[in-house]
Amino acid sequence: MIIRARPDLGTADIVADGVRDPRSPLEQLLALQVAHRMLDQMSTTDRARLRSALRVAQSHGRSVELSDTRSRLAAQLAARLPEVA
């Protein structure tokens, strides 16, 4: 994931997709890490989209709850994101 090294090249859609529907646990971990680095540059809409992606990921079988590291990163992100109705 090139945007790990260069978060400025990423988009909120790419990061949200990696959190919501990862192809592997590693992809989800990398997406969560990039989301942390991009968060300050995200719009309110993008932050809401990421919050929603976190909720979806936590409700699926391939959830961030499967890994302590991913779970911790997701919880830290959720604490920094606005509530989504």
Side-chain angles (χ1 to χ4, degrees), residues 34-43 46-47 50 76-77 80-82:
V34 170
H36 273 280
R37 294 180 69 190
M38 290 178 63
L39 196 57
D40 292 336
Q41 286 75 40
M42 286 185 181
S43 68
D46 290 340
R47 287 172 179 237
L50 180 57
Q76 290 170 351
L77 265 177
R80 295 177 62 196
L81 292 166

Side-chain angles (χ1 to χ4, degrees), residues 43-76:
S43 68
T44 301
T45 302
D46 290 340
R47 287 172 179 237
R49 187 176 304 131
L50 180 57
R51 175 85 175 186
S52 178
L54 283 168
R55 287 183 176 161
V56 169
Q58 289 170 328
S59 69
H60 284 165
R62 286 173 31 179
S63 161
V64 292
E65 296 172 297
L66 297 177
S67 158
D68 288 342
T69 301
R70 288 181 287 153
S71 180
R72 180 181 45 78
L73 285 171
Q76 290 170 351

Side-chain angles (χ1 to χ4, degrees), residues 5-36:
R6 293 276 316 268
D8 58 301
L9 298 177
T11 67
D13 289 333
I14 291 171
V15 173
D17 183 54
V19 170
R20 180 182 47 254
D21 191 25
R23 287 149 201 79
S24 71
L26 178 59
E27 182 180 47
Q28 189 175 53
L29 174 64
L30 294 174
L32 288 165
Q33 291 171 338
V34 170
H36 273 280

